[in-house]
Amino acid sequence: PRPPYADTGVPVREPENPVQPPEVIERMRRAGKAAAEVLALVGEAVRPGVTTDELDALCHEACIERGGYPSPLNYGGFPKSLCTSVNEVICHGIPDSRALLDGDIVNLDVTIYLDGVHGDTNATFLVGDVDPESRRLVEVTRECLERAIAVVRPGQPFNAIGRAIQEHAEGNGFGVVRSFVGHGIGRQFHTDLHVPHYYDPGLTRVIEEGMTFTIEPMITVGAWDHDLWPDGWTAVTVDRKRTAQFEHTLVVTADGAEVLTQV
Ligand code: MF3
Ligand code: CO
Ligand code: CO
């Protein structure tokens, strides 16, 4: 079964409560697990010489094999089944015929549509022998996501997430991308719930039990502002320095968060 935008390319927004009923959360557990499996499987194939098109094909097949559909395909016209963001690409890189090079870093962003709901997860992988500064960037970005998940619980303001991320990133001399944010997710890939990765004192909304959303910090070695390639998708750092990202889909529990995108 394909998502409703698969043929038209136009995701028609409908109202979706950020607090999900238990049966939707149960379906999201299965979609989340499938997304995590696909991400691990495609990540295994990362090595110097592999093209991002080959990774895209692996992702597509693995989603179909699990009875799902790759959510990115034709979402707003996105042409592939996987986002592959190399080095200075912040997010939404389009797979192509370029082979990964020894020393690259590559983010693979997998989203699967399974049983009427989406599971969205990404990770940044090292290609061969990567320089120490890039490895530190990737490690700190992973820690930013972990620290953000650790502050999620009912009653906490949403801005606690961005505060945790910004403190850790800037404490390590890195920048936090503002223009792309985490999001509510469920029957729709993206709902209108925004989850910034920087501290926004004006964001007063409070986290509630049963909410499902992603946290997906994009952290930069240098400037955090972006340019967009003429393809309309590929977002790169303005200074072309490297950037990394990690993402999980979560559900808020009575006293914390359950990560849905784990195997
Ligand atoms: N998976 C991305 C996210 O984390 C969204 C990709 S949209 C696409 O929100 F169209 F590029 F696939
Ligand atoms: Co996402
Ligand atoms: Co994603």
Side-chain angles (χ1 to χ4, degrees), residues 21-40:
E23 77 270 16
V24 170
I25 293 170
E26 192 45 45
R27 275 147 61 199
M28 290 185 73
R29 252 183 215 110
R30 291 196 290 274
K33 180 171 184 286
E37 287 170 3
V38 173
L39 178 60

mmCIF file of all heavy atoms in Angstrom, residues 21-40:
data_model
loop_
_atom_site.group_PDB
_atom_site.id
_atom_site.type_symbol
_atom_site.label_atom_id
_atom_site.label_comp_id
_atom_site.label_asym_id
_atom_site.label_seq_id
_atom_site.Cartn_x
_atom_site.Cartn_y
_atom_site.Cartn_z
ATOM 1 N N PRO A 21 -3.814 7.947 19.241
ATOM 2 C CA PRO A 21 -4.492 6.860 19.957
ATOM 3 C C PRO A 21 -3.595 5.620 20.023
ATOM 4 O O PRO A 21 -2.716 5.438 19.167
ATOM 5 C CB PRO A 21 -5.739 6.591 19.111
ATOM 6 C CG PRO A 21 -5.434 7.130 17.759
ATOM 7 C CD PRO A 21 -4.418 8.234 17.935
ATOM 8 N N PRO A 22 -3.819 4.752 21.024
ATOM 9 C CA PRO A 22 -2.949 3.575 21.219
ATOM 10 C C PRO A 22 -2.811 2.692 19.980
ATOM 11 O O PRO A 22 -1.720 2.177 19.733
ATOM 12 C CB PRO A 22 -3.645 2.810 22.358
ATOM 13 C CG PRO A 22 -4.410 3.852 23.103
ATOM 14 C CD PRO A 22 -4.815 4.889 22.099
ATOM 15 N N GLU A 23 -3.865 2.553 19.186
ATOM 16 C CA GLU A 23 -3.735 1.640 18.026
ATOM 17 C C GLU A 23 -2.813 2.228 16.957
ATOM 18 O O GLU A 23 -2.126 1.487 16.249
ATOM 19 C CB GLU A 23 -5.107 1.235 17.458
ATOM 20 C CG GLU A 23 -5.813 2.252 16.607
ATOM 21 C CD GLU A 23 -6.720 3.182 17.421
ATOM 22 O OE1 GLU A 23 -6.589 3.243 18.671
ATOM 23 O OE2 GLU A 23 -7.550 3.865 16.808
ATOM 24 N N VAL A 24 -2.779 3.545 16.845
ATOM 25 C CA VAL A 24 -1.838 4.179 15.905
ATOM 26 C C VAL A 24 -0.406 4.018 16.432
ATOM 27 O O VAL A 24 0.522 3.708 15.674
ATOM 28 C CB VAL A 24 -2.194 5.666 15.676
ATOM 29 C CG1 VAL A 24 -1.087 6.379 14.905
ATOM 30 C CG2 VAL A 24 -3.523 5.779 14.933
ATOM 31 N N ILE A 25 -0.239 4.190 17.734
ATOM 32 C CA ILE A 25 1.102 4.038 18.335
ATOM 33 C C ILE A 25 1.614 2.610 18.120
ATOM 34 O O ILE A 25 2.792 2.404 17.804
ATOM 35 C CB ILE A 25 1.066 4.412 19.839
ATOM 36 C CG1 ILE A 25 0.786 5.920 19.978
ATOM 37 C CG2 ILE A 25 2.375 4.045 20.533
ATOM 38 C CD1 ILE A 25 0.480 6.386 21.388
ATOM 39 N N GLU A 26 0.727 1.635 18.235
ATOM 40 C CA GLU A 26 1.129 0.235 18.017
ATOM 41 C C GLU A 26 1.590 0.035 16.562
ATOM 42 O O GLU A 26 2.608 -0.616 16.316
ATOM 43 C CB GLU A 26 -0.050 -0.695 18.366
ATOM 44 C CG GLU A 26 0.307 -2.160 18.470
ATOM 45 C CD GLU A 26 1.586 -2.438 19.261
ATOM 46 O OE1 GLU A 26 1.779 -1.847 20.343
ATOM 47 O OE2 GLU A 26 2.410 -3.259 18.780
ATOM 48 N N ARG A 27 0.858 0.611 15.615
ATOM 49 C CA ARG A 27 1.289 0.525 14.209
ATOM 50 C C ARG A 27 2.609 1.254 14.002
ATOM 51 O O ARG A 27 3.468 0.803 13.243
ATOM 52 C CB ARG A 27 0.199 1.099 13.291
ATOM 53 C CG ARG A 27 -0.868 0.054 12.938
ATOM 54 C CD ARG A 27 -2.243 0.672 12.779
ATOM 55 N NE ARG A 27 -2.300 1.670 11.718
ATOM 56 C CZ ARG A 27 -3.245 2.612 11.603
ATOM 57 N NH1 ARG A 27 -4.222 2.687 12.481
ATOM 58 N NH2 ARG A 27 -3.227 3.455 10.609
ATOM 59 N N MET A 28 2.786 2.374 14.680
ATOM 60 C CA MET A 28 4.034 3.138 14.540
ATOM 61 C C MET A 28 5.231 2.391 15.124
ATOM 62 O O MET A 28 6.363 2.588 14.685
ATOM 63 C CB MET A 28 3.898 4.517 15.186
ATOM 64 C CG MET A 28 2.961 5.434 14.394
ATOM 65 S SD MET A 28 2.896 7.106 15.044
ATOM 66 C CE MET A 28 4.511 7.733 14.532
ATOM 67 N N ARG A 29 4.977 1.538 16.128
ATOM 68 C CA ARG A 29 6.053 0.685 16.661
ATOM 69 C C ARG A 29 6.573 -0.248 15.572
ATOM 70 O O ARG A 29 7.778 -0.418 15.411
ATOM 71 C CB ARG A 29 5.509 -0.171 17.812
ATOM 72 C CG ARG A 29 5.999 0.241 19.127
ATOM 73 C CD ARG A 29 5.553 -0.621 20.291
ATOM 74 N NE ARG A 29 5.390 0.323 21.385
ATOM 75 C CZ ARG A 29 4.239 0.695 21.930
ATOM 76 N NH1 ARG A 29 3.111 0.117 21.554
ATOM 77 N NH2 ARG A 29 4.204 1.606 22.867
ATOM 78 N N ARG A 30 5.656 -0.818 14.791
ATOM 79 C CA ARG A 30 6.066 -1.722 13.714
ATOM 80 C C ARG A 30 6.745 -0.963 12.583
ATOM 81 O O ARG A 30 7.768 -1.402 12.047
ATOM 82 C CB ARG A 30 4.858 -2.514 13.194
ATOM 83 C CG ARG A 30 4.326 -3.533 14.209
ATOM 84 C CD ARG A 30 3.399 -4.564 13.564
ATOM 85 N NE ARG A 30 2.123 -3.982 13.142
ATOM 86 C CZ ARG A 30 1.049 -3.842 13.937
ATOM 87 N NH1 ARG A 30 1.086 -4.254 15.199
ATOM 88 N NH2 ARG A 30 -0.069 -3.310 13.472
ATOM 89 N N ALA A 31 6.196 0.206 12.217
ATOM 90 C CA ALA A 31 6.824 1.019 11.160
ATOM 91 C C ALA A 31 8.205 1.494 11.610
ATOM 92 O O ALA A 31 9.164 1.504 10.824
ATOM 93 C CB ALA A 31 5.927 2.210 10.806
ATOM 94 N N GLY A 32 8.305 1.878 12.882
ATOM 95 C CA GLY A 32 9.579 2.369 13.412
ATOM 96 C C GLY A 32 10.644 1.292 13.401
ATOM 97 O O GLY A 32 11.800 1.532 13.010
ATOM 98 N N LYS A 33 10.250 0.081 13.797
ATOM 99 C CA LYS A 33 11.192 -1.044 13.806
ATOM 100 C C LYS A 33 11.645 -1.356 12.379
ATOM 101 O O LYS A 33 12.838 -1.567 12.123
ATOM 102 C CB LYS A 33 10.521 -2.271 14.434
ATOM 103 C CG LYS A 33 11.377 -3.511 14.504
ATOM 104 C CD LYS A 33 10.687 -4.589 15.355
ATOM 105 C CE LYS A 33 11.566 -5.815 15.523
ATOM 106 N NZ LYS A 33 11.634 -6.639 14.298
ATOM 107 N N ALA A 34 10.695 -1.344 11.434
ATOM 108 C CA ALA A 34 11.041 -1.611 10.032
ATOM 109 C C ALA A 34 12.001 -0.547 9.505
ATOM 110 O O ALA A 34 12.983 -0.860 8.821
ATOM 111 C CB ALA A 34 9.769 -1.662 9.179
ATOM 112 N N ALA A 35 11.747 0.721 9.836
ATOM 113 C CA ALA A 35 12.632 1.809 9.380
ATOM 114 C C ALA A 35 14.043 1.602 9.932
ATOM 115 O O ALA A 35 15.033 1.778 9.206
ATOM 116 C CB ALA A 35 12.074 3.165 9.815
ATOM 117 N N ALA A 36 14.123 1.218 11.203
ATOM 118 C CA ALA A 36 15.440 1.002 11.822
ATOM 119 C C ALA A 36 16.168 -0.166 11.152
ATOM 120 O O ALA A 36 17.382 -0.100 10.922
ATOM 121 C CB ALA A 36 15.273 0.743 13.315
ATOM 122 N N GLU A 37 15.427 -1.224 10.828
ATOM 123 C CA GLU A 37 16.039 -2.369 10.135
ATOM 124 C C GLU A 37 16.579 -1.961 8.771
ATOM 125 O O GLU A 37 17.696 -2.328 8.391
ATOM 126 C CB GLU A 37 15.000 -3.488 9.930
ATOM 127 C CG GLU A 37 14.627 -4.239 11.192
ATOM 128 C CD GLU A 37 13.427 -5.168 10.981
ATOM 129 O OE1 GLU A 37 12.926 -5.275 9.836
ATOM 130 O OE2 GLU A 37 12.985 -5.760 11.985
ATOM 131 N N VAL A 38 15.778 -1.182 8.051
ATOM 132 C CA VAL A 38 16.204 -0.757 6.706
ATOM 133 C C VAL A 38 17.438 0.142 6.811
ATOM 134 O O VAL A 38 18.403 -0.016 6.043
ATOM 135 C CB VAL A 38 15.053 -0.039 5.960
ATOM 136 C CG1 VAL A 38 15.538 0.544 4.635
ATOM 137 C CG2 VAL A 38 13.883 -1.007 5.738
ATOM 138 N N LEU A 39 17.442 1.056 7.775
ATOM 139 C CA LEU A 39 18.593 1.950 7.937
ATOM 140 C C LEU A 39 19.861 1.141 8.233
ATOM 141 O O LEU A 39 20.928 1.405 7.655
ATOM 142 C CB LEU A 39 18.327 2.966 9.056
ATOM 143 C CG LEU A 39 19.473 3.931 9.371
ATOM 144 C CD1 LEU A 39 19.849 4.784 8.160
ATOM 145 C CD2 LEU A 39 19.115 4.827 10.561
ATOM 146 N N ALA A 40 19.742 0.134 9.102
ATOM 147 C CA ALA A 40 20.912 -0.692 9.442
ATOM 148 C C ALA A 40 21.401 -1.457 8.214
ATOM 149 O O ALA A 40 22.612 -1.526 7.936
ATOM 150 C CB ALA A 40 20.564 -1.655 10.578
#
